[in-house]
Amino acid sequence: MFILETDRLTLRHASPDDAAFILLLLNEPSFLKFIGDRGVRTLDDARGYIANRLIDSYERHGYGLWIVERKQEPGPIGICGLVKRDALPDPDIGFAFLPEFWGAGYAYESALGVKRHALEVLRLPRLLAVTNEDNASSIRLVEKLGLEFARMIALSKDQPELRLFALEARG
Ligand SMILES: CC(C)(COP(=O)(O)OP(=O)(O)OC[C@H]1O[C@@H](n2cnc3c(N)ncnc32)[C@H](O)[C@@H]1OP(=O)(O)O)[C@@H](O)C(=O)NCCC(=O)NCCS
């Protein structure tokens, strides 16, 4: 299902056909370092992740992490969207791209589309973001979107503290 488009990109629901891409992305060293190890090691694991994490969120909340593709050249290059965590009162914006697609502004462009969708279509009152202390490119991106640093937060007891950013909807 189509969600939104930007100048160069489209965002859509994930499907079981994205399993190979998800398997690759979730095992990228940058994903493991800055987001975490989701334990996805096989195509079957990836299909499970798509069903239980991605599609489940679309059904439960009406949003989730969506698949990002370029209009010029179809095929998944990253994920970007909204995550509802038990530990946070409002959804946070999340993104991860295959390294070969970094440095072209795709993450920012898709995240800006997601921010607009969150505020204008879903009419969410507040948008959050969480990043590792040392995830400089992600922190820069979140601040470029207009979110402001709020405080440090631990999402669970055994996890290191993360930076929490927030943006209040106007009006
Ligand atoms: C975080 C992540 C998505 C950032 O990717 P990215 O490609 O570096 O991010 P951007 O889209 O902001 O692009 C950055 C650069 O592209 C360049 N660029 C090139 N063409 C551009 C264009 N048309 N428009 C905008 N920027 C462009 C800019 O120079 C920009 O750098 P700057 O912000 O220093 O000016 C990526 O590093 C990643 O997937 N990391 C692993 C997962 C992760 O950490 N996720 C976040 C968890 S909170």
Side-chain angles (χ1 to χ4, degrees):
M1 189 177 119
F2 169 84
I3 298 297
L4 65 93
E5 67 175 338
T6 64
D7 280 354
R8 296 178 294 170
L9 306 169
T10 58
L11 275 69
R12 61 163 174 83
H13 278 187
S15 88
D17 294 344
D18 297 309
F21 161 72
I22 289 293
L23 178 60
L24 194 61
L25 183 70
L26 269 53
N27 288 288
E28 280 296 335
S30 57
F31 192 102
L32 295 167
K33 176 173 179 204
F34 290 124
I35 298 180
D37 186 352
R38 299 293 180 245
V40 170
R41 300 287 180 265
T42 65
L43 279 174
D44 258 0
D45 293 343
R47 280 188 279 268
Y49 177 86
I50 290 167
N52 302 326
R53 301 290 292 262
L54 304 185
I55 295 175
D56 180 70
S57 175
Y58 309 149
E59 289 171 355
R60 228 183 252 257
H61 306 295
Y63 57 74
L65 288 167
W66 297 302
I67 300 284
V68 182
E69 295 195 56
R70 291 174 296 176
K71 289 178 181 170
Q72 298 274 4
E73 210 170 320
I77 64 167
I79 54 177
C80 184
L82 301 163
V83 181
K84 181 66 192 78
R85 300 171 206 267
D86 291 341
L88 293 174
D90 299 286
D92 60 277
I93 191 158
F95 38 81
F97 284 71
L98 294 175
E100 62 202 278
F101 301 107
W102 293 358
Y106 292 139
Y108 175 67
E109 187 173 318
S110 61
L112 193 59
V114 166
K115 173 190 152 182
R116 290 195 177 129
H117 185 81
L119 300 179
E120 292 166 21
V121 179
L122 302 173
R123 299 215 156 260
L124 299 177
R126 200 150 163 258
L127 195 56
L128 303 176
V130 278
T131 73
N132 275 16
E133 269 261 62
D134 58 347
N135 192 350
S137 62
S138 184
I139 292 170
R140 197 171 52 233
L141 196 163
V142 162
E143 290 182 331
K144 228 160 74 175
L145 287 176
L147 282 81
E148 286 178 4
F149 176 70
R151 62 193 159 89
M152 299 302 290
I153 188 170
L155 294 181
S156 64
K157 273 192 192 140
D158 49 344
Q159 294 285 316
E161 288 206 315
L162 302 174
R163 274 174 191 262
L164 175 70
F165 296 83
L167 174 82
E168 307 285 337
R170 271 179 272 154

